[in-house]
Amino acid sequence: MRIPEIVPGIYEVWDESIIAEFNIAQKGDFSALTLPYGTCSLSMDNRDRRFEPRSKDGLFQSLEERQGIDISVGVRLPDGTADYKKMGVFYQFSGGWKTGDNGLTMKWDLVDIIGLLADRTFEAPQILPTTLGGWTKAVVSQLGTNFESCYSVDADYINLPLTVSNADAITGKSCGDIILWICQATQTWPRAA
């Protein structure tokens, strides 16, 4: 038995009686030629309208856009206990939901932090960063102050020098472009944890 766990401010365990479908994909690209990001889709039984986004007393009213949802998958062991493995933190954005099966299920599409950043326009700080760590922080902070510390860079690479000689080169570019360029320039690759 596999049980995704979701923590939307309150702790709940959704089991096979609630989850109609669960898919998770976590991508990686060592070449840094594409921007890989993880996706998660959940389809929940919605016959009782508990997951209805428009319902005032529904679960979705308590979730905010860009609120992180920690997802783990558990396997029931022979002794009856469950062994959980963290799959990552995923975020709802741009609605992220749709009804299916004539309203009997609610499908919820989530992305990891890289997916949340991918298409966002990069707003360059007044003073451009000069290290890999500085550029990573500048990109992640595009999501607001709550996200400023939601990244890590390997200690061996965080202080790699990385400068932009022409600020116009990054004007109007997406955060996804910036992530790819800083990874290509430092021979690293992005991955959501």
Side-chain angles (χ1 to χ4, degrees), residues 6-7 35 55 61 66 108 111 132 134 137 145 151 183 187:
I6 298 195
V7 185
L35 187 65
S55 172
Q61 293 297 321
R66 297 188 301 164
W108 195 14
V111 294
L132 174 60
K137 181 177 182 174
T145 56
Y151 73 94
C183 288
Q187 298 179 3

Side-chain angles (χ1 to χ4, degrees), residues 166-182:
N166 182 2
D168 291 337
I170 59 172
T171 302
K173 302 301 180 191
S174 72
C175 289
D177 290 334
I178 303 297
I179 293 170
L180 282 177
W181 293 339
I182 65 175

Side-chain angles (χ1 to χ4, degrees), residues 1 3 5 73-85:
M1 175 173 68
I3 306 171
E5 289 185 353
V73 174
V75 178
R76 176 94 23 118
L77 300 175
D79 66 1
T81 62
D83 181 22
Y84 293 102
K85 300 297 178 196

Side-chain angles (χ1 to χ4, degrees), residues 2-189:
R2 298 181 182 277
I3 306 171
E5 289 185 353
I6 298 195
V7 185
I10 57 170
Y11 182 80
E12 291 193 10
V13 175
W14 295 349
D15 62 17
E16 73 279 359
S17 66
I18 295 173
I19 295 178
E21 183 179 347
F22 172 69
N23 293 302
I24 191 165
Q26 293 178 313
K27 303 171 190 167
D29 182 358
F30 298 107
S31 70
L33 295 175
T34 61
L35 187 65
Y37 58 87
T39 58
C40 178
S41 65
L42 293 170
S43 291
M44 287 80 70
D45 180 352
N46 197 33
R47 285 176 286 195
D48 62 359
R49 302 288 187 239
R50 181 164 183 259
F51 298 104
E52 184 65 39
R54 296 171 198 92
S55 172
K56 290 183 178 163
D57 59 350
L59 179 65
F60 279 77
Q61 293 297 321
S62 67
L63 295 174
E64 298 175 10
E65 189 170 321
R66 297 188 301 164
Q67 177 178 345
I69 299 166
D70 212 355
I71 296 184
S72 298
V73 174
V75 178
R76 176 94 23 118
L77 300 175
D79 66 1
T81 62
D83 181 22
Y84 293 102
K85 300 297 178 196
K86 182 175 177 166
M87 301 306 292
V89 178
F90 292 84
Y91 302 89
Q92 171 183 242
F93 79 116
S94 299
W97 53 266
K98 58 186 168 228
T99 57
D101 306 327
N102 294 322
L104 294 177
T105 61
M106 174 63 65
K107 184 177 181 189
W108 195 14
D109 292 319
L110 308 167
V111 294
D112 64 18
I113 194 165
I114 296 173
L116 200 58
L117 284 164
D119 296 325
R120 180 177 287 274
T121 301
F122 181 73
E123 301 292 333
Q126 296 237 327
I127 299 172
L128 293 177
T130 58
T131 63
L132 174 60
W135 278 101
T136 305
K137 181 177 182 174
V139 170
V140 174
S141 68
Q142 301 293 304
L143 294 172
T145 56
N146 291 344
F147 286 83
E148 283 181 347
S149 63
C150 291
Y151 73 94
S152 66
V153 179
D154 189 294
D156 294 336
Y157 297 93
I158 196 164
N159 292 316
L160 281 177
L162 189 58
T163 58
V164 172
S165 57
N166 182 2
D168 291 337
I170 59 172
T171 302
K173 302 301 180 191
S174 72
C175 289
D177 290 334
I178 303 297
I179 293 170
L180 282 177
W181 293 339
I182 65 175
C183 288
Q184 290 167 355
T186 57
Q187 298 179 3
T188 56
W189 63 288

